[in-house]
Amino acid sequence: MQISDSKIVSNLPLWLPAAVIVGVLVSYVRSWYRLREFKGPWLAGWTEAWLFRATTTGELHLRLHEVNKKYGDLVRIGPNWLMTSDPEIIRYMSAARHKHQKSSWYESLKVDPYVHSVFSETSVEKHDKLRVNMQSGYSLKENRDLGVKIDAEIASLVNLIDRKYISTPTEPRVIDLAQAAQYWSLDVITSIALGEPFGYLREDKDMYDFIKIIQGELPLATVCSSTPTLGNLVFGSGLVTLIGPSPKDETGRGKLMGIAKKVVEERFGPNKVVRDDMLGTFIRNGLDKRQAESEILTTILAGSDTTATAIRATMLYIMTNPRVYNTLVKEIQTAERDGSISSPITSAESRKMPYVQAVIKEGLRIHPPITGLLTKLVNPGGEVIKGRFVPGGTGIGHCGWGIQRHEIFGTDVDIFRPERWIEASDAQRHEMERTMELVFGTGRWGCLGKAIVMVELDKIFVELLRRFDFELVNPGSPWKTRNFTLFMQREMWVRVTKRGS
């Protein structure tokens, strides 16, 4: 019996949807099956919905840590993604000799959506070339006046506090320390990168709406980075080229791109401005105009936000722990009386102060400034990692919060206790330092600005606490904080008085 073509066409609506549904189910089952050996939230094995929901809470760092504690150091958080809090696995995935590639996680976090920076570049070869061109710009050898520039911005911060925010018994004044820390870190990084600060501290306001724009755009970018399907739709489908930001925009990310374009434009052409700063070093080492724009934007964002978070968090733990506060101030005052520190303090002098250094390390450990997944891909063909086979192409992300609560730090990892760094044996301290330093990444993907950040931290706490006393206004609710790869923190209200008054 023959069936007419019209009969087949009339039956299409009946079987075609069923075929599509079956195809989708088969795809889901195959995706689940390849990582079936790894435990994790049930929903995460089938769909990106679990990771999407965890990211939108603004507490992804805590949700990931909870999963690690429940299921182990290498757990499944998505159909094709694992996540770890094991320092050994992080070092393995970042080691230069293994050539693991960055995943699509980085694509959504490009500050300039049209041009990769050294942070977001997924090609190993292109990344390595960029890194070579840029690394001298971050070196302490090239930035010989780094300490002078940091000291100048510390003086600006001190001046701002003296001028507007000193409380007296009859006139209480409060400062949002979260905002002030970001103003300071932005002025420091723009001074280092561009030769002069943007003037956040001088004006005591968000210049160019930089903070407002970044905090407005970062949540969506982080959600897209954590859910590859959504990220590919928004950033990988060509949609950005049609409706994305432009340097001509008066608002949003386009406005920041326009600022970068204007700053970089001055360094090219027949009447170019030549400066001995970070941007000047980038250009001397071969970065073209467009790449320089992308790198400067990324440097200002990454170099300011992470430092600001380190300062806020460490100051919060200092202020809420009288033992730490008093011990730290005593060491600073003793050093002043002995004449063992200058005014302003040098980085070398700070590193001879055991408790200051212990506080800095403990602050970075207990509240790592960046907690994004930073996912890297297992090489094609798969690899055996810590005795378990992981299929090729699988993404392995970081649990930054969990890494800094590793057993190497002791049994009281959720307590801010700088003394752990002083009490430890040399061998244990070495391992603790190696693990703490993972907040800066490691290996091929290590942070270029690590040395600069550490000089900033060497100075800022000493210079503030030798002059002022700090007191939280609302200890029951010390700040408002949300995490979207970086921390967005505000309303950290503090009462400041002159030391000794």
Side-chain angles (χ1 to χ4, degrees):
M1 182 176 69
Q2 292 185 337
I3 301 175
S4 67
D5 291 342
S6 61
K7 185 71 172 177
I8 294 176
V9 172
S10 66
N11 285 336
L12 278 179
L14 298 176
W15 61 263
L16 186 58
V20 170
I21 292 171
V22 170
V24 169
L25 288 175
V26 169
S27 175
Y28 273 107
V29 170
R30 290 179 63 187
S31 179
W32 167 82
Y33 187 77
R34 66 190 302 276
L35 295 177
R36 66 193 181 280
E37 301 296 331
F38 296 91
K39 296 179 180 180
W42 179 86
L43 188 60
W46 296 91
T47 172
E48 296 169 3
W50 181 87
L51 198 49
F52 176 87
R53 185 174 61 189
T55 305
T56 55
T57 64
E59 296 183 337
L60 179 61
H61 59 302
L62 300 179
R63 302 291 85 78
L64 294 177
H65 184 41
E66 289 168 2
V67 168
N68 258 155
K69 288 195 293 184
K70 183 174 181 179
Y71 296 105
D73 281 342
L74 188 59
V75 302
R76 188 174 194 172
I77 58 169
N80 194 41
W81 280 9
L82 304 176
M83 180 268 300
T84 186
S85 58
D86 187 328
E88 287 186 41
I89 297 177
I90 298 300
R91 295 187 191 105
Y92 173 76
M93 294 300 295
S94 298
R97 66 183 181 276
H98 297 307
K99 294 190 175 182
H100 293 118
Q101 190 171 342
K102 290 179 176 178
S103 76
S104 61
W105 183 89
Y106 290 85
E107 182 71 30
S108 302
L109 289 168
K110 291 188 294 186
V111 185
D112 183 329
Y114 310 110
V115 180
H116 274 295
S117 68
V118 71
F119 171 75
S120 64
E121 180 58 65
T122 56
S123 163
V124 172
E125 292 74 19
K126 291 180 181 179
H127 168 273
D128 289 354
K129 183 178 179 180
L130 268 177
R131 191 177 176 93
V132 168
N133 289 341
M134 294 175 60
Q135 59 189 3
S136 61
Y138 286 93
S139 73
L140 299 184
K141 184 178 179 181
E142 283 284 336
N143 289 285
R144 288 185 294 274
D145 59 349
L146 174 68
V148 174
K149 290 181 175 179
I150 293 173
D151 292 342
E153 299 316 315
I154 288 175
S156 293
L157 177 57
V158 169
N159 178 265
L160 174 64
I161 294 172
D162 272 332
R163 181 164 42 94
K164 296 180 65 175
Y165 297 109
I166 294 295
S167 288
T168 67
T170 58
E171 189 178 7
R173 299 177 180 179
V174 294
I175 182 173
D176 181 355
L177 193 58
Q179 177 177 271
Q182 188 141 25
Y183 286 176
W184 181 78
S185 60
L186 278 162
D187 272 349
V188 169
I189 195 60
T190 51
S191 178
I192 296 167
L194 305 176
E196 57 185 34
F198 274 176
Y200 289 85
L201 293 169
R202 182 181 64 249
E203 301 297 329
D204 195 18
K205 70 177 185 180
D206 182 8
M207 304 295 289
Y208 312 111
D209 293 328
F210 186 90
I211 300 170
K212 178 182 177 182
I213 292 168
I214 291 300
Q215 292 191 352
E217 304 236 355
L218 193 57
L220 175 61
T222 298
V223 171
C224 288
S225 71
S226 295
T227 50
T229 302
L230 180 60
N232 185 60
L233 176 64
V234 176
F235 294 99
S237 63
L239 189 62
V240 167
T241 61
L242 296 176
I243 62 172
S246 163
K248 297 179 181 180
D249 294 345
E250 294 297 322
T251 59
R253 196 183 315 195
K255 181 177 180 179
L256 301 184
M257 292 166 60
I259 294 168
K261 182 179 177 68
K262 180 180 179 182
V263 167
V264 172
E265 187 75 39
E266 296 174 349
R267 308 296 182 98
F268 290 85
N271 300 315
K272 63 184 179 183
V273 174
V274 178
R275 286 182 175 168
D276 189 20
D277 52 21
M278 187 181 287
L279 177 57
T281 304
F282 290 168
I283 294 169
R284 287 197 302 273
N285 282 280
L287 258 64
D288 61 31
K289 186 186 301 184
R290 194 67 186 86
Q291 190 67 52
E293 292 170 13
S294 176
E295 297 298 348
I296 281 299
L297 263 183
T298 304
T299 295
I300 292 173
L301 169 61
S304 64
D305 211 293
T306 51
T307 303
T309 295
I311 294 169
R312 297 164 183 152
T314 304
M315 284 297 292
L316 176 62
Y317 281 98
I318 291 170
M319 288 186 287
T320 53
N321 193 317
R323 185 196 76 259
V324 173
Y325 194 111
N326 293 330
T327 305
L328 180 59
V329 169
K330 182 178 179 180
E331 184 177 67
I332 294 170
Q333 291 177 331
T334 300
E336 284 188 303
R337 284 195 302 269
D338 294 347
S340 57
I341 60 173
S342 310
S343 183
I345 192 171
T346 67
S347 182
E349 291 167 347
S350 177
R351 294 183 187 185
K352 293 178 181 178
M353 301 176 72
Y355 206 74
V356 168
Q357 293 302 306
V359 166
I360 291 170
K361 293 172 186 175
E362 186 72 347
L364 290 170
R365 181 198 72 80
I366 203 162
H367 199 291
I370 179 170
T371 59
L373 283 166
L374 305 168
T375 312
K376 312 300 187 304
L377 298 177
V378 174
N379 286 324
E383 301 174 70
V384 176
I385 300 176
K386 294 295 287 282
R388 305 178 71 180
F389 179 76
V390 184
T394 301
I396 298 183
H398 296 207
C399 177
W401 205 258
I403 292 166
Q404 299 307 325
R405 281 150 178 79
H406 190 269
E407 61 185 13
I408 187 64
F409 296 110
T411 58
D412 58 347
V413 291
D414 291 315
I415 296 175
F416 181 77
R417 195 173 68 85
E419 288 80 6
R420 76 178 76 245
W421 297 92
I422 297 170
E423 296 166 356
S425 66
D426 290 345
Q428 183 184 10
R429 188 182 305 110
H430 174 69
E431 286 305 310
M432 288 165 59
E433 287 172 348
R434 288 184 70 221
T435 303
M436 181 276 293
E437 288 172 354
L438 290 176
V439 301
F440 297 104
T442 186
R444 167 176 268 114
W445 314 113
C447 173
L448 285 167
K450 173 186 172 183
I452 293 174
V453 172
M454 293 310 296
V455 173
E456 292 177 275
L457 299 182
D458 283 339
K459 291 172 172 283
I460 187 66
F461 303 114
V462 173
E463 292 303 316
L464 289 178
L465 288 167
R466 78 194 301 180
R467 292 176 171 85
F468 306 114
D469 269 317
F470 294 85
E471 177 185 357
L472 282 170
V473 174
N474 301 309
S477 180
W479 59 11
K480 293 183 179 178
T481 180
R482 299 173 74 206
N483 177 262
F484 292 100
T485 298
L486 303 173
F487 284 92
M488 304 191 322
Q489 294 160 331
R490 59 189 175 87
E491 297 185 34
M492 185 179 175
W493 299 111
V494 172
R495 180 176 179 268
V496 186
T497 53
K498 288 271 197 179
R499 179 160 297 287
S501 62

